[in-house]
Amino acid sequence: ARAAANFVCGGMGAGLVVATALAGAPGGGLAVPLLVGLALVACGLLSVFAEVGRPLRAANVIRNPGSSWMSREALVAPLLFACGLAGATGRPAFAAAAALLALAFVYCQGRMVHAARGIPAWRAPEMPWLFVATGLAEGLGLWLVLAVVLDQRSMRVVGAAIVAIIVRYVLFRRYRRGLGAGIAAGPARALDAAGRVLLWAGTLAPLALLGLAAALAPSPWARGIVLVAGLGAALAGAWLKATIVLRAGHTQGFALPVLPVRGRA
């Protein structure tokens, strides 16, 4: 669960940083969304720290950037926090740099999962990009929620959210078809159930609600509809990633086509 929290919180927080930079809010409008995004990333990293059997050795994670995507994630994180905090003071250039680092951070997360070659549901070639698309859709959805609370507007973010929601579901369907019958029955059922949640609560409902909000604007009802759409996009993506990590992470096991027999060559 702590590993799942890292992927859920880290991806959503990184997506929120990207959405904030895309919105281009002037001055102090950057502060709250950026700080919330960084706080989510920090929660994810603290979850990983809590998972380590020997926390005092956690610094060793940065020792293998040439071969470990976890090391690369750990090296990107401080730069992300530095640029994000600078952007929160009202400097759009640092917010843009933080967005690029956030994309690198969530890509590292996807490659970490993909590197687990012994888990059929994780080693699919679509996995890194599915994690990126899911993190972006979650973060853009969360930005829509915060935008209603903070009275901010950005048609660029709304358009990006629509694209990310659609791309996320297309990638998931391609990922699920690629797995086929190559995974156990339990993980297959879990992924199919998460796929239904993603379709209805995370794709069709948000798209329909955003269209309804555009038709009703500038009615006060439109703001509440956007908030619900953003929540659906964010929470459905979080559920999908939690399912992939917690319920679809079954190992393949060993295949021994020929067994050694004593006394035979």
Side-chain angles (χ1 to χ4, degrees):
R2 289 187 288 267
N6 175 43
F7 293 118
V8 171
C9 295
M12 186 181 295
L16 180 56
V17 171
V18 174
T20 305
L22 184 63
L30 294 169
V32 173
L34 277 178
L35 292 176
V36 172
L38 295 177
L40 285 169
V41 174
C43 287
L45 294 174
L46 287 174
S47 298
V48 174
F49 181 78
E51 184 185 17
V52 176
R54 296 182 178 181
L56 295 180
R57 297 187 178 183
N60 291 333
V61 73
I62 66 174
R63 296 178 59 183
N64 299 298
S67 58
S68 170
W69 285 100
M70 183 177 291
S71 295
R72 294 163 188 165
E73 178 199 39
L75 290 172
V76 168
L79 300 175
L80 170 59
F81 283 110
C83 290
L85 291 173
T89 63
R91 302 174 182 177
F94 282 99
L100 295 176
L101 291 165
L103 287 172
F105 181 85
V106 73
Y107 179 73
C108 287
Q109 287 196 326
R111 291 301 299 265
M112 285 165 54
V113 176
H114 179 254
R117 309 302 295 173
I119 301 178
W122 293 6
R123 67 188 182 207
E126 297 85 6
M127 183 56 66
W129 301 113
L130 179 60
F131 263 59
V132 171
T134 303
L136 287 175
E138 289 171 339
L140 290 162
L142 186 57
W143 190 93
L144 294 177
V145 174
L146 292 175
V148 172
V149 176
L150 301 174
D151 195 23
Q152 296 184 11
R153 293 173 177 81
S154 173
M155 290 307 298
R156 284 187 295 182
V157 174
V158 173
I162 292 172
V163 172
I165 288 169
I166 295 172
V167 170
R168 176 179 64 180
Y169 187 73
V170 170
L171 282 173
F172 172 77
R173 291 310 310 163
R174 181 176 175 181
Y175 159 74
R176 184 65 188 91
R177 284 195 302 269
L179 291 177
I183 57 175
R189 287 193 297 270
L191 287 174
D192 290 340
R196 289 190 290 272
V197 173
L198 185 67
L199 173 62
W200 294 104
T203 305
L204 295 180
L207 292 177
L209 289 172
L210 289 175
L212 179 60
L216 294 177
S219 166
W221 287 98
R223 294 168 56 80
I225 292 171
V226 169
L227 187 148
V228 174
L231 277 177
L235 295 180
W239 181 256
L240 173 64
K241 282 197 293 190
T243 299
I244 290 174
V245 176
L246 293 175
R247 302 184 63 191
H250 288 214
T251 57
Q252 179 179 351
F254 295 98
L256 299 174
V258 179
L259 297 176
V261 178
R262 185 183 296 274
R264 295 186 182 179

